[in-house]
Structures are given as structure tokens and as C-alpha cells.
Amino acid sequence: MKKIVVITGGTSGIGLETLNHFVKNGWKVYELSRREKGVNEDAVHIPTDVTNENQVKAAVNQIMQDEGQIDVLINNAGYGISGAIEFTSIEKAKQQFDVNFFGMVCVNLSVLPVMRKQNSGKIINISSVAAPIAIPFQAYYSASKAAIKSYSMALANEVKPFGVQITSILPGDIKTCFTSAREKIISGDDIYNGRIGRSVAVMEHDEQNGMSAAVAGRFIYKIAAKKKIKPVYTIGLKYKLFVLLAKILPEKAVNALVGMIYAK
């Protein structure tokens, strides 16, 4: 029997490359995103807004009717906003969390009962290096990804007795269309002496010179194919070092270094 994987946000970037690796390795792939049509014809695309509980439930019900099982869920759907905290509306901040965090929660709430009953399954939640290393002028993105990491750690212990494994994966700078899709809030840049624009420009430069989405997709596939998985993974040796330094250096020093790069 083929193994079944469900991927959210699998029509571009890391999600699409991850999907391609699963297809290439013979998995049956279901992809959930808001687009009307999928990109890889070898995957089953179900138009789904992950923030819409009814749509998510309907998609999972369809998968269960067709397959009777879900072996792996990859929560990849998300986007980024940038801007000064002072000039970012509560509405925009909530939208960031609705998609990145609560969208993941919504999908998990439909899939967890399935995995618990079958006494097996893996859930992979895509966080970010911006979770342990908060980026100025991308505070709400960093906070949403930090929430994913904390949530995943807690959930891993809750469902361990049911044979369900949970992990969060922390990518660093990846060259994808995520950069061009970022919602930029430039209000207040004059008051902040151009620091908002400079910060985002540095981030975009780093992203466009980062690792390919194919490398990230292969990494995620390899984690999913493991028999046992750890609670957290970071993609890339450089970013593993950054995360390690964030753990062992004083927080004041870490924040000062980040400020030198992204808040000048």
C-alpha cells in the first residue's frame, strides 16, 4: 500500500519542492491550498483555505474516504509581513497568525483524531530560524513561527502515547517566491529614518542568495521518511550554528548582533 502524505501550501516554493520529492518516491500526495488548480499533476489538489474550518474538515474527510489513512501531514502554508510594530495594525497582525499559526492548528485538529485512531503518523510543522532569532521589522512573522515551534514541542508530548510523532522544521534563507509575496508595510519609514526599508532589503537579499527550495524540500522529505523523528530540526549547517549560538550566547549579545544586521 502506498503511504499517504498531506501537504498544505504545496503549489510553490518549499511546499512544491517537498511535494515533488514525495511524488518521486512513490507516495500518494494530497495538496491543500487556496489555488483552484495544483501544479504537479501527479498529486491530488484540493482547493482549501486552511483558515476555513469547514473546508479543512471537508478536505480531510475526502482523503479519508479515498484512502482510509494519513501517514504524514506537512503544515507548510504561510506567508510573511514586514513593517514596524508601531505601524502594523492589529488586523494585519491577526491575519499573520490566522494563516501561519491557526491555519496549522485548524488542519491538525482534523488530522490528529485520524492519526490517534490508527496509532501512527507524523506531523511536520514548518517554523523558521526566525523563531529562536527574532527579526526586527518582521516581529509578527517571527512571533507566528515561534508559536509554531512552542506548540509543536507541547503537542509532541501530548500525543506520544498514541504513536503520533510531531516535529517543527526551521528553514533559514530560502530562494523562493516567498520574498516577492511578502506584504510590506512601509508606514513610518520616514520616522524610523529609513530603517524599515533597509531591514527588509537586507532580508530579501539574504533570501534571494539563500539555499534552493529543492534542497529544503529534500530535507523535509528525508525527515518524514525517518522511522523516528526529533522534536526540532534546522535546515542547513550555517543556520544550525546560528540557532546554537542563540542558545549559548547571552540574549543581550544575540539581540545586539541581530540589530546590527537588520535594524541599522
Side-chain angles (χ1 to χ4, degrees):
M1 291 180 63
K2 279 190 175 183
K3 291 187 176 182
I4 311 302
V5 60
V6 179
I7 303 175
T8 69
T11 55
S12 64
I14 295 174
L16 177 58
E17 292 295 343
T18 302
L19 181 153
N20 291 339
H21 280 286
F22 276 97
V23 168
K24 184 171 66 176
N25 285 278
W27 289 58
K28 179 68 176 290
V29 182
Y30 285 84
E31 189 273 321
L32 313 183
S33 68
R34 290 183 297 175
R35 294 190 184 185
E36 286 301 314
K37 294 183 178 180
V39 176
N40 188 320
E41 294 182 354
D42 292 320
V44 179
H45 172 74
I46 305 176
T48 309
D49 181 345
V50 296
T51 67
N52 186 312
E53 188 175 359
N54 290 332
Q55 288 186 21
V56 170
K57 285 181 177 179
V60 172
N61 286 341
Q62 178 182 329
I63 295 166
M64 289 304 295
Q65 287 174 7
D66 292 345
E67 308 295 344
Q69 68 187 65
I70 296 174
D71 298 293
V72 173
L73 165 64
I74 298 175
N75 284 300
N76 171 75
Y79 77 109
I81 66 172
S82 63
I85 292 173
E86 180 183 356
F87 293 96
T88 301
S89 68
I90 294 295
E91 180 185 10
K92 290 293 184 184
K94 286 181 176 180
Q95 287 174 356
Q96 179 77 108
F97 271 81
D98 280 346
V99 176
N100 290 7
F101 180 72
F102 288 107
M104 170 202 67
V105 172
C106 186
V107 179
N108 285 346
L109 289 178
S110 286
V111 172
L112 276 169
V114 171
M115 291 185 171
R116 175 171 49 78
K117 290 174 183 176
Q118 66 192 24
N119 201 39
S120 66
K122 298 185 186 80
I123 295 178
I124 297 173
N125 300 319
I126 306 301
S127 178
S128 171
V129 170
I133 304 174
I135 309 299
F137 303 114
Q138 295 190 69
Y140 291 112
Y141 176 76
S142 291
S144 71
K145 292 300 185 176
I148 289 172
K149 182 175 178 290
S150 295
Y151 166 100
S152 300
M153 296 288 283
L155 182 60
N157 278 326
E158 291 185 15
V159 300
K160 185 177 180 180
F162 304 112
V164 182
Q165 300 183 68
I166 312 293
T167 189
S168 60
I169 293 183
L170 283 57
D173 295 315
I174 312 287
K175 186 176 181 179
T176 70
C177 59
F178 179 91
T179 302
S180 59
R182 178 180 285 112
E183 185 175 343
K184 300 177 187 177
I185 300 165
I186 60 172
S187 301
D189 201 25
D190 54 340
I191 297 172
Y192 278 72
N193 296 316
R195 291 166 61 231
I196 301 172
R198 288 197 298 273
S199 177
V200 175
V202 171
M203 176 58 69
E204 291 183 341
H205 176 271
D206 291 346
E207 289 169 347
Q208 290 307 297
N209 288 277
M211 74 174 67
S212 73
V215 171
R218 183 168 63 250
F219 182 95
I220 294 167
Y221 170 76
K222 287 182 177 179
I223 298 305
K226 286 178 176 288
K227 185 175 182 180
K228 298 289 185 180
I229 58 177
K230 298 187 296 185
V232 183
Y233 292 90
T234 303
I235 304 178
L237 182 60
K238 177 172 73 172
Y239 298 104
K240 289 178 182 178
L241 176 60
F242 289 167
V243 171
L244 176 62
L245 289 175
K247 290 180 180 178
I248 63 178
L249 291 177
E251 291 182 339
K252 181 180 179 180
V254 173
N255 218 34
L257 288 170
V258 173
M260 289 172 61
I261 300 170
Y262 294 113
K264 291 189 295 184

